[in-house]
Amino acid sequence: MDEGRQPLSRKLPIPSSKISPYRLIIILRLVILGLFFHYRILHPVNNAYALWLTSVICEIWFGVSWILDQFPKWYPITRETYLDRLSLRYEKEGKPSQLAKVDIFVSTVDPMKEPPLITANTVLSILAVDYPVDKVACYVSDDGAAMLTFEALSETSEFARKWVPFCKKFNIEPRAPEWYFSQKIDYLRNKVHPAFVRERRAIKREYEEFKIRINALVATAQKVPEEGWTMQDGTPWPGNNVRDHPGMIQVFLGQSGVRDVEGNELPSLVYVSREKRPGFEHHKKAGAMNALVRVSAVLSNAPYLLNVDCDHYINNSKALREAMCFMMDPQSGKKICYVQFPQRFDGIDRHDRYSNRNVVFFDINMKGLDGIQGPIYVGTGCVFRRQALYGYDAPVKKKSPGKTCNCWPKWCCLCCGSRKNKKAKQPKKDKKKKSKNKEASKQIHALENIEEGVEETNAEKPSDMSRMKLEKKFGQSPVFVDSSLLEDGGVTGDLKRASLLKEAIQVISCGYEDKTEWGKEVGWIYGSVTEDILTGFKMHCHGWRSVYCIPKRACFKGSAPINLSDRLHQVLRWALGSVEIFLSRHCPIWYGYGGGLKLLERFSYINSVVYPWTSIPLIVYCTLPAFCLLTGKFIVPEISNYASLVFIGLFISIAATGILEMQWGGVGIDDWWRNEQFWVIGGASSHFFALFQGLLKVLAGVSTNFTVTSKGADDGEFSELYLFKWTSLLIPPTTLFIINVVGVVVGISDAINNGYDSWGPLFGRLFFALWVIIHLYPFLKGLLGKQDRMPTIILVWSILLASILTLMWVRINPFVSKDGPVLEICGLNCD
């Protein structure tokens, strides 16, 4: 077969030697779990009934959570792409490139918290991507309307004229200058071309001057003038009032005749700041992303979109080509709504104390989801199809002509009863509905023909009706409505640039989304701070599937909060979004039945919104060891040989499942163990507070914020790792750690005081408590902060041993008998 006609990618299933034992262990663990619960329920502890009942309820919840998390990993896969075949198919020699256009979105809010130099590096990596320049457009959303961001972007566009040709001439990686120049590589050691050495030194000097200019802008922006900022022409900056300003659009590169220093074209670079007015709901990041969707549809209308955060640069210049191997595949590409890449991070310490890399999720869970229906969220570093974002159904045959049921399941909702019953009872209504569906499809088809210039008789009236429906869905912008019908993208050629910019200003106005389906069925879905999960869920409910791609070179890299407090607040935001989805009508437990969502994919979505509720049984279960040690009671009765085998089998199956997951996922034991530890730390702090905050917000309408106060100073390369920022999130894990340490001390003291017979029952309680302490150990290290004077482990053991010895001295005094002085019989009769 011709190389250019072969598939652009292929699935690589996990070898059967690895996956078959894994599936067998899952089944065995499920059987052992059933035997475990059978024993636990039928053998209560009468003298500690409350402790026993509490522990059984928690264990049942953990078992259900494990099922929801485990079974979506039943069919994990990896994928392989063929970039050479993509070039052979769509980049033939002597002809214009046929690769699809891509609009890239970069979102930022506050330049003081998101440094402009970091955003500039992200933009530069986008402009220098290995893709045809006329096929790339970069849109930067400044939701804080900061003049600093605007000026920094202007400087970035000037430096890009020198940086982009340098990157493409010498094919360097990565193409973000800050991280490229920070690589510890001796270019003079190997025999490199002298021209490269000269140009590299020159461009490095240019970059250092560029950094000085950016830092000067930041220093100037530290003190805002009383009258506000003024632009170069003397007019006030429109965004001086962050909460009340008009929409702003500025095209820096592309369509304006600006070329690089070698005379070549550059990709488009557009600054966007949507309108903000008091009294309007702006929906935070989701609203900003929807504004970018509309602006890009008016100005460039690429069929594919890439979403990156301002601190996530393109680490692999062929990232867009990797995504196009799936999106533009003639066989399976039409069914794919987005291609998600794993998130990789820079600047994390070697031990990854707080599991910032999150490799268990990205390298195990996501591979499992890819084998079912695809990744479950549209996160940063995701290339997605514009038509899928508009709420269109996937191009697959469905059993029923109706749309996705947006209500309760058919068996529990009267308004969505069985279609069979409806056909039997109301055949006339169904015929009317079918005729209406046919008529609607004819109207849309007629409108498409009109857009393409095809003449049809009596098509004028249906076209008007369809346009009214489209305007009700997408808003009152004829240019945007026309663009929404173009599956392959493109803009109207007869409109001038000034007219397009005027239309683009209209679509980012505050009232544009009123009485439309934006945020409900179109674009990023509102109602949760984790709009990526909700948006991906809606797409999958419409029958789309997604793809997970892990190239050898990471496509995107970013920065992660590495100190304890910032990490906990990041997890808090994710968990809060899950709670909001759980309490909304979009909860995957009852939403989307009748659509294209597969059962195991629904399990994964349910798990993604239910996991914060696990914080309650987790906190309760982590306090049980302390109660057992302090009261001398236990949650398990004296076990028999059968019970011992069940408990041992359960522990072995848990360990075997983890080992086999690490084997086929390529995850090290350190990363797996850090993930387990932070599951307890995050569950006892961030997840619990998110649950409390979500209930207050959704049920009572009360919005609470947890503030962080910095109390640290610079301390070297990983200075942020040792920063201590007090936050209320630290209270629950600290309490759990202290009460378990106290319980261990009291338990050991009692055993020493009561003799050898008490040591046997103590071991089970000690194991239970030490399990909690070991999982909270990274939290303790983060709580203690700096380590330049005394290692944390020494301090911990010093306190523990001192407490034990003190209690032993009090309870067991070797110099005084508890029963008083010992009187020996001397043999004399004193009477």
Side-chain angles (χ1 to χ4, degrees), residues 18 54 83 162 224 234 251 274 304 306 338 379 422 509 518 554 649 658 743 770 799:
K18 295 181 179 180
T54 303
L83 300 181
K162 305 171 185 177
V224 182
V251 180
R274 58 180 174 147
Y304 303 107
L306 167 62
Y338 59 86
K422 287 187 176 182
S509 60
W518 283 99
L770 290 176
I799 296 174

Side-chain angles (χ1 to χ4, degrees), residues 179-389:
W179 284 271
Y180 170 70
F181 291 121
S182 64
Q183 295 179 115
K184 298 179 180 179
I185 300 175
D186 187 1
Y187 290 94
L188 300 178
R189 178 177 297 178
N190 300 323
K191 293 182 179 180
V192 296
H193 199 279
F196 169 70
V197 177
R198 289 194 303 270
E199 293 195 33
R200 184 181 183 276
R201 288 175 178 172
I203 199 68
K204 187 174 182 180
R205 286 195 299 268
E206 294 283 352
Y207 178 64
E208 294 298 330
E209 294 176 2
F210 168 73
K211 288 175 63 175
I212 292 173
R213 293 194 296 270
I214 295 294
N215 292 331
L217 291 174
V218 175
T220 304
Q222 296 290 334
K223 187 176 180 181
V224 182
E226 295 181 1
E227 65 278 5
W229 298 109
T230 304
M231 294 188 291
Q232 293 181 357
D233 59 358
T235 58
W237 170 248
N240 280 326
N241 189 340
V242 178
R243 299 179 180 178
D244 187 4
H245 65 83
M248 295 177 283
I249 298 177
Q250 176 65 45
V251 180
F252 286 106
L253 297 176
Q255 306 292 332
S256 58
V258 179
R259 295 177 178 267
D260 63 25
V261 292
E262 296 183 357
N264 300 318
E265 292 184 9
L266 289 168
S268 298
L269 176 60
V270 184
Y271 169 89
V272 179
S273 181
R274 58 180 174 147
E275 183 184 17
K276 293 283 187 70
R277 300 298 180 192
F280 285 90
E281 179 61 51
H282 299 104
H283 303 288
K284 299 180 180 178
K285 183 180 178 180
M289 296 303 297
N290 283 336
L292 285 182
V293 172
R294 296 192 294 270
V295 168
S296 63
V298 172
L299 297 182
S300 53
N301 196 34
Y304 303 107
L305 309 173
L306 167 62
N307 170 40
V308 294
D309 289 340
C310 64
D311 60 343
H312 271 73
Y313 64 93
I314 297 180
N315 183 63
N316 185 349
S317 61
K318 299 185 183 297
L320 297 182
R321 295 178 180 269
E322 294 280 354
M324 290 304 113
C325 285
F326 301 102
M327 290 293 196
M328 299 187 69
D329 192 293
Q331 298 178 0
S332 60
K334 295 292 184 181
K335 301 177 183 179
I336 298 173
C337 58
Y338 59 86
V339 179
Q340 179 67 59
F341 294 91
Q343 294 184 27
R344 308 300 187 194
F345 301 98
D346 291 316
I348 298 177
D349 67 303
R350 182 170 57 88
H351 300 289
D352 192 16
R353 182 181 300 176
Y354 310 124
S355 189
N356 274 290
R357 293 190 180 93
N358 210 3
V359 292
V360 172
F361 175 75
F362 288 117
D363 292 350
I364 294 180
N365 295 47
M366 295 287 271
K367 287 181 181 177
L369 294 175
D370 197 15
I372 305 170
Q373 199 172 356
I376 63 173
Y377 77 107
V378 190
T380 182
C382 179
V383 179
F384 51 95
R385 188 182 301 272
R386 188 185 288 270
Q387 291 290 306
L389 198 66

Side-chain angles (χ1 to χ4, degrees), residues 785-799:
K786 296 184 180 181
Q787 299 181 348
D788 54 353
R789 293 172 184 166
M790 180 181 292
T792 305
I793 189 66
I794 295 178
L795 184 62
V796 173
W797 281 108
S798 298
I799 296 174

